[in-house]
Amino acid sequence: AMIEQDMAEASNQTQELLRIQAERAKAEEEKRARVEEEASKRQSEMEALKVQLQQANDEKDAVVKANTPKVPASPEELRADKEKLLSEFEARRKELELHQRVEQDKQERMLQELLEAK
């Protein structure tokens, strides 16, 4: 009877260990899925930022073209206008690039976490 009791107890402990392992595996899988989903979201955000950057550059080209007078302005006026427009767009471009870099860093950190989770 003692042996049967020991065997039943060992079986219960094994069952408990298996249950804990299954719970851990499920939690890991859920974490991995969350990280992958987040990484995918970040990827989409990066794509959107690239599009915004391209749009900003297109806008710049359009504005520069639209603001190039048909009537010849003095070279100084043209230079001043061009420099003003370029500096405005340069500031916008830097802002977008910074945002893009921040997003990319986040994405790389998450990818690292994902790899470490595996």
Side-chain angles (χ1 to χ4, degrees):
M2 200 65 164
I3 292 173
E4 281 176 20
Q5 194 177 352
D6 286 349
M7 283 180 70
E9 205 172 295
S11 174
N12 286 343
Q13 286 174 346
T14 303
Q15 291 295 316
E16 184 62 15
L17 278 174
L18 288 173
R19 190 185 64 74
I20 289 170
Q21 283 177 335
E23 278 177 13
R24 281 193 189 142
K26 186 172 183 248
E28 278 296 312
E29 190 49 50
E30 286 169 358
K31 179 183 173 190
R32 194 170 15 258
R34 275 196 310 276
V35 172
E36 281 174 357
E37 184 184 329
E38 193 63 34
S40 166
K41 206 169 88 181
R42 292 263 173 265
Q43 186 64 45
S44 300
E45 287 171 6
M46 288 291 294
E47 296 303 322
L49 281 171
K50 283 180 188 162
V51 169
Q52 283 181 335
L53 198 54
Q54 186 55 55
Q55 285 172 341
N57 284 327
D58 293 347
E59 281 173 29
K60 178 192 72 177
D61 295 341
V63 171
V64 169
K65 191 174 178 185
N67 283 282
T68 304
K70 305 293 173 274
V71 207
S74 75
E76 292 78 18
E77 286 176 321
L78 285 176
R79 214 176 358 265
D81 283 353
K82 187 177 175 187
E83 282 172 16
K84 179 175 165 270
L85 286 170
L86 287 175
S87 70
E88 286 172 8
F89 280 102
E90 193 57 27
R92 175 77 176 128
R93 188 182 64 75
K94 281 182 179 161
E95 187 185 309
L96 281 169
E97 278 181 352
L98 178 66
H99 188 58
Q100 196 172 6
R101 232 187 344 269
V102 167
E103 286 302 320
Q104 198 163 4
D105 289 347
K106 275 191 211 166
Q107 198 173 353
E108 285 169 5
R109 267 199 313 277
M110 291 188 60
L111 192 58
Q112 199 56 46
E113 284 175 21
L114 180 64
L115 293 175
E116 287 167 4
K118 285 188 175 171

